Amino acid sequence: MNKSGKFYGIGVGPGDPTLITMKAAQILSKVDMVIAPAADKESLALKIARPYINCKVIEMNFPMISNKNKLNDIWDKNVKTIQEILQEGNDTAFITLGDPMIYSTYTYILSRLCGYEAETIPGITSFCAAASKINIPIVEGDAPFAVIPVKDKKLLEKTLKDFDNVVLMKISRNYDDVVKVLKENGFCAVLITHCGQEDEKIEFDLDKYLGRGVSYLSLIIAWRDKK
Amino acid sequence: MNKSGKFYGIGVGPGDPTLITMKAAQILSKVDMVIAPAADKESLALKIARPYINCKVIEMNFPMISNKNKLNDIWDKNVKTIQEILQEGNDTAFITLGDPMIYSTYTYILSRLCGYEAETIPGITSFCAAASKINIPIVEGDAPFAVIPVKDKKLLEKTLKDFDNVVLMKISRNYDDVVKVLKENGFCAVLITHCGQEDEKIEFDLDKYLGRGVSYLSLIIAWRDKK
């Protein structure tokens, strides 16, 4: 029986292929198989990693659906496929947008792969890339900061009372509410969409998108206006 | 008169030189001057970036002192030196540990360099690298997370009530209190010291360092135990 392959989780950063680490590029160039998660359309992670890959790529479907039973079946099938690939002795890299340890599909896969050797390579987060792009710090000195995927208004309102520096993710779900709550709490904010990609947008006037919505890959960096 | 040089802020990641981005390595190899901030001892950022540098390096002293007047004088002198270097037409990279937009000296420098062309290159944060190293997610799904440089017990206690996932930085200042508050609030935690460096330490038993203290470059990844 073959020795099982090693499983790598690789953060490829938010969009610009040059924001991948040397280590990630090096591992991508030497593994036997790359798995790119795709949610119904072409994998952005794969587009970023493509220049560094020298092997077969499997695009694995992780659809965004709400039916839990159906979702579980798909996940089980995907994990089984990965186990089979590893058992055949293939070193295998699972690529993931941004960083693998922050809001990533990879950690769910990893938790189901007990017994296999696994190494995770960190990636540039979308919020770090966005802050660099606009030359505005996320946080300085001894201040804490919070990262919030905005689900409900209440948690956002509470967090803006307690923190002067926040990063808001997944804001496409209730963009108008987010803008309103930021204003009511005296926050300055910048909207960044598709950071590092060809269609990147940076917008200091958040009102511009009210009633029109923003892309799923949008985030806001915000800070309390102390003037 | 020469055209002024371009100012780059470059995140070099937390310790492992291979966790630098392709873009950072590329810029470091082509600039005319590199500035490495040093706090009284050899610059760790410089140690990480050294393999990619082909030009003159200035180690600039940013001491950790509490005398504000003295500190201001040193900063003013440093900023003036950088302006002179840029005015001579030198493209200049200021390197910084981790990410330049999160708790970095760079953003204070940047804010004083109005009028010069500046580009910031994000870096791998210490907490992303640490989470990857221990194969434990910082956060999943729709949960928010908070990053807290622990200054006082009260803010920590409050945040642990509101968040299930936290990263604690600068814990060397009051390590024993931190461990106590985490326990009282039912959190699991891992201590990571000097992540990616030769003397890296990973400790799941936080009690081990009670009364002994930990290094300045230590952090804790913690999550509420839901079992």
Side-chain angles (χ1 to χ4, degrees):
Chain A
M1 195 181 151
N2 287 335
K3 185 180 174 294
S4 289
K6 184 169 175 180
F7 187 60
Y8 293 95
I10 298 193
V12 299
D16 175 347
T18 66
L19 288 185
I20 204 167
T21 65
M22 308 290 278
K23 191 165 192 178
Q26 185 198 347
I27 290 171
L28 284 173
S29 72
K30 71 169 193 186
V31 291
D32 305 304
M33 190 82 80
V34 168
I35 297 172
D40 304 322
K41 53 177 184 174
E42 193 213 15
S43 162
L44 175 58
L46 181 56
K47 201 177 156 191
I48 297 168
R50 184 71 84 179
Y52 310 104
I53 297 174
N54 291 320
C55 65
K56 194 179 160 189
V57 175
I58 296 179
E59 289 199 63
M60 200 166 259
N61 194 26
F62 291 89
M64 290 182 188
I65 53 175
S66 51
N67 182 329
K68 283 215 170 171
N69 285 337
K70 207 175 159 188
L71 204 61
N72 254 332
D73 286 349
I74 295 172
W75 276 74
D76 285 346
K77 196 171 147 272
N78 284 344
V79 169
K80 206 171 157 235
T81 303
I82 297 173
Q83 287 172 333
E84 284 167 4
I85 293 168
L86 291 169
Q87 277 162 18
E88 283 164 11
N90 298 299
D91 287 341
T92 303
F94 188 97
I95 56 176
T96 174
L97 272 183
D99 179 77
M101 289 309 178
I102 296 181
Y103 306 124
S104 153
T105 308
Y106 166 72
T107 53
Y108 296 96
I109 299 283
L110 183 64
S111 67
R112 295 184 187 204
L113 284 177
C114 283
Y116 294 91
E117 190 187 359
E119 182 177 351
T120 309
I121 313 301
I124 300 292
T125 64
S126 57
F127 52 86
C128 285
S132 274
K133 183 62 78 165
I134 58 177
N135 272 342
I136 290 176
I138 291 172
V139 68
E140 293 182 310
D142 267 339
F145 75 98
V147 178
I148 313 160
V150 185
K151 203 171 175 182
D152 62 286
K153 241 175 83 173
K154 268 189 193 161
L155 176 68
L156 179 58
E157 278 169 343
K158 187 170 176 2
T159 310
L160 295 187
K161 300 266 181 284
D162 295 335
F163 289 78
D164 291 341
N165 300 85
V166 295
V167 173
L168 310 182
M169 321 266 289
K170 305 191 188 175
I171 51 170
S172 61
R173 297 183 289 194
N174 39 14
Y175 180 76
D176 290 12
D177 276 349
V178 169
V179 175
K180 186 166 165 265
V181 173
L182 283 169
K183 265 190 208 168
E184 283 168 0
N185 286 275
F187 273 67
C188 302
V190 188
L191 168 72
I192 304 103
T193 296
H194 296 180
C195 185
Q197 298 174 55
E198 286 149 23
D199 55 349
E200 173 183 275
K201 280 196 201 93
I202 295 168
E203 186 56 61
F204 285 76
D205 176 15
L206 270 59
D207 287 355
K208 206 171 150 182
Y209 290 97
L210 286 177
R212 291 165 56 193
V214 293
S215 152
Y216 176 76
L217 288 174
S218 300
L219 64 86
I220 286 174
I221 294 174
W223 62 98
R224 193 182 307 284
D225 188 359
K226 286 176 180 166
K227 279 166 196 161
Chain B
M1 195 181 152
N2 287 335
K3 183 182 175 297
S4 288
K6 183 168 174 179
F7 187 58
Y8 293 95
I10 297 193
V12 299
D16 175 347
T18 67
L19 288 186
I20 202 167
T21 65
M22 308 290 280
K23 192 166 192 176
Q26 186 198 347
I27 291 170
L28 284 173
S29 72
K30 71 170 194 186
V31 291
D32 305 304
M33 189 81 81
V34 168
I35 297 171
D40 304 323
K41 54 177 182 174
E42 193 211 14
S43 163
L44 176 57
L46 180 56
K47 202 178 156 193
I48 297 168
R50 185 70 84 180
Y52 310 104
I53 297 174
N54 291 320
C55 65
K56 193 180 162 188
V57 175
I58 297 178
E59 288 199 65
M60 199 166 258
N61 194 27
F62 291 90
M64 291 182 188
I65 53 174
S66 52
N67 181 329
K68 283 214 171 172
N69 286 337
K70 207 175 160 188
L71 204 60
N72 254 333
D73 286 349
I74 295 174
W75 276 75
D76 285 347
K77 195 171 147 272
N78 285 343
V79 169
K80 205 169 159 239
T81 304
I82 296 174
Q83 287 172 333
E84 284 167 4
I85 294 169
L86 291 170
Q87 277 161 20
E88 284 164 10
N90 298 301
D91 288 339
T92 303
F94 188 95
I95 56 176
T96 172
L97 269 185
D99 179 78
M101 289 309 177
I102 295 181
Y103 305 123
S104 153
T105 309
Y106 166 72
T107 53
Y108 296 96
I109 299 282
L110 182 65
S111 67
R112 294 183 187 203
L113 283 177
C114 283
Y116 294 90
E117 190 187 0
E119 182 178 350
T120 309
I121 313 300
I124 300 291
T125 62
S126 56
F127 53 85
C128 285
S132 275
K133 183 62 79 169
I134 58 176
N135 272 342
I136 290 175
I138 291 173
V139 68
E140 293 183 309
D142 268 340
F145 75 97
V147 177
I148 314 159
V150 184
K151 202 171 176 180
D152 61 285
K153 241 174 84 172
K154 267 189 193 161
L155 175 69
L156 179 59
E157 278 169 343
K158 186 170 177 358
T159 310
L160 295 187
K161 300 265 181 281
D162 295 336
F163 288 78
D164 292 340
N165 300 85
V166 296
V167 172
L168 310 182
M169 320 266 291
K170 304 189 187 177
I171 51 170
S172 61
R173 296 182 289 193
N174 38 15
Y175 180 77
D176 289 12
D177 276 348
V178 169
V179 175
K180 186 164 165 265
V181 173
L182 283 170
K183 264 191 210 168
E184 284 168 358
N185 286 275
F187 273 66
C188 302
V190 187
L191 168 72
I192 303 102
T193 296
H194 296 181
C195 185
Q197 297 172 56
E198 287 149 23
D199 55 350
E200 173 184 274
K201 279 197 202 92
I202 295 167
E203 186 55 61
F204 285 76
D205 176 15
L206 272 58
D207 287 355
K208 206 170 149 183
Y209 291 97
L210 286 176
R212 294 165 54 192
V214 293
S215 151
Y216 175 75
L217 288 174
S218 300
L219 64 87
I220 285 174
I221 293 174
W223 61 98
R224 192 181 308 284
D225 189 359
K226 286 174 180 168
K227 279 167 199 163

